Amino acid sequence: MALEHLTKETFKEKVFNYETNTEWKFEGKVPAIIDFYADWCGPCKMVAPILEDLQTEYGDKLTIFKVNTDEQQELSSIFGIQSIPSMLFIPLEGQPQMSVGALPKNSLKSAIEDVLSIPAN
């Protein structure tokens, strides 16, 4: 399963419609991670293959989205993205949590287990 790149429109449909909801309401069916990145960002390039591996490993228990901060500036500003890579961990229930910086695979797996409540495979 390939990682899906979000636009403003697909973000509102699959993650959160910030134009109609004032409080957080996740639209997804499984927990998700949103990777805010840019093509020119070195640390983003280091994290990209790790996220692809994790998507393969967790399969349909997790969705990983990507948002190009250069192309989707409105989405970046909504979440106050000032440093990349930034990752938004979205559990099915409760508030999302932001992480900034290039996390190693073991840290990402810990966040998936702890924040998203997805057990390790």
Side-chain angles (χ1 to χ4, degrees):
M1 175 187 270
L3 307 185
E4 183 176 349
H5 292 258
L6 294 176
T7 63
K8 173 184 168 182
E9 293 308 315
T10 56
F11 181 92
K12 291 189 302 184
E13 175 188 320
K14 296 181 178 192
V15 180
F16 172 61
N17 189 335
Y18 53 86
E19 291 179 341
T20 59
N21 294 306
T22 54
E23 292 190 23
W24 177 259
K25 179 184 179 297
F26 180 47
E27 302 292 343
K29 307 250 183 292
V30 297
I33 298 172
I34 299 178
D35 174 26
F36 291 90
Y37 78 100
D39 290 333
W40 49 264
C41 166
C44 299
K45 291 177 184 174
M46 291 188 313
V47 171
I50 296 170
L51 291 173
E52 290 175 16
D53 288 350
L54 290 171
Q55 182 66 80
T56 300
E57 187 174 328
Y58 286 92
D60 58 7
K61 293 186 271 180
L62 173 69
T63 302
I64 300 177
F65 296 112
K66 295 184 75 70
V67 171
N68 185 321
T69 56
D70 289 335
E71 295 173 3
Q72 303 298 326
Q73 293 180 4
E74 183 175 335
L75 291 178
S76 300
S77 68
I78 287 170
F79 288 97
I81 303 300
Q82 297 180 350
S83 175
I84 51 175
S86 289
M87 286 181 224
L88 187 67
F89 292 86
I90 308 171
L92 279 180
E93 302 292 328
Q95 294 296 307
Q97 294 182 33
M98 186 70 75
S99 169
V100 177
L103 298 175
K105 188 172 186 177
N106 61 343
S107 296
L108 286 166
K109 288 183 82 151
S110 293
I112 290 168
E113 292 171 30
D114 299 341
V115 177
L116 303 181
S117 302
I118 301 174
N121 289 337

